[in-house]
Amino acid sequence: MKMDLMINQLLHVLERESELYRSMLTVIDKESKVVVRSDLNALTKAGEDKENILVNLRLIEEQRIRLVREMAEALGHPPRDFTITMISQLVGEPFAGRLSQAGTDLSTVLNTVKDANHRNKKLFEHSRELLRGSFNLLNELTRSDMVYYRTGDVQRTYPTGKCVNGEI
């Protein structure tokens, strides 16, 4: 395959990959809003959307790997060391600038997705802790190991470690 054609295909693949990651970022942002609203249906939909994007990303990534391998072989370099930066240094203009820009765009959107994903992870962990606390509180209220005294006082047979103020 001619090098110019391979470079154009690689540019197309990199642009498509960046578009898919931008779509992923949109879904991640939706997901964080949905978690705050506790909308299970919308959260399920967001998960399905992410899965679809991941399938497409896997396919486009396979194309990129194949193209880079073919280009590395054609230029006599080991494929695993063949980066977008190296390719842009080996080929001339107009491709060098376009490849460099596509690599920068992809790197930027990947870092943004990584940061958004980290924020959502923290949000999910916080939500999980709130749910765990509510669940534990409800379990404590419904325990059957309480002792009722003649005076009407209720005490647990063991200390629970919780402090509750009866005055509201």
Side-chain angles (χ1 to χ4, degrees):
M1 189 183 302
K2 194 172 178 194
M3 187 58 67
D4 289 357
L5 180 60
M6 285 192 284
I7 294 171
N8 276 323
Q9 287 178 345
L10 180 61
L11 282 165
H12 175 72
V13 164
L14 292 172
E15 289 166 2
R16 179 70 180 130
E17 206 168 4
S18 291
E19 289 171 15
L20 287 169
Y21 278 112
R22 281 187 200 91
S23 296
M24 179 67 80
L25 186 58
T26 301
V27 172
I28 290 171
D29 287 342
K30 264 190 228 177
E31 187 179 55
S32 64
K33 292 173 185 165
V34 167
V35 168
V36 171
R37 290 192 331 250
S38 298
D39 186 346
L40 184 60
N41 292 332
L43 186 60
T44 302
K45 172 77 169 94
E48 291 169 357
D49 290 347
K50 283 172 64 174
E51 285 297 321
N52 291 334
I53 292 170
L54 287 172
V55 167
N56 290 327
L57 278 168
R58 185 174 47 243
L59 294 173
I60 202 82
E61 183 69 12
E62 288 170 2
Q63 285 181 336
R64 186 181 66 79
I65 289 169
R66 181 186 50 79
L67 277 169
V68 168
R69 186 177 298 125
E70 289 174 9
M71 292 174 75
E73 289 171 3
L75 294 172
H77 289 278
R80 73 172 187 275
D81 298 334
F82 210 57
T83 63
I84 295 171
T85 303
M86 182 184 284
I87 295 169
S88 68
Q89 291 170 353
L90 292 173
V91 299
E93 289 298 337
F95 296 118
R98 289 176 56 202
L99 278 169
S100 181
Q101 184 62 46
T104 301
D105 290 347
L106 183 59
S107 180
T108 301
V109 74
L110 278 172
N111 286 332
T112 306
V113 167
K114 183 179 171 183
D115 292 343
N117 214 22
H118 182 72
R119 281 191 310 272
N120 272 8
K121 178 184 174 191
K122 294 290 185 188
L123 185 61
F124 279 110
E125 287 172 351
H126 180 70
S127 295
R128 184 186 68 212
E129 289 303 313
L130 289 174
L131 286 171
R132 183 176 287 140
S134 295
F135 181 73
N136 288 341
L137 177 63
L138 290 172
N139 272 343
E140 288 297 319
L141 292 174
T142 60
R143 291 191 66 106
S144 62
D145 58 352
M146 295 187 293
V147 176
Y148 294 91
Y149 291 93
R150 250 184 259 189
T151 61
D153 289 341
V154 179
Q155 291 186 342
R156 299 214 177 269
T157 56
Y158 65 91
T160 64
K162 296 201 185 285
C163 226
V164 180
N165 184 353
E167 297 175 11
I168 298 178

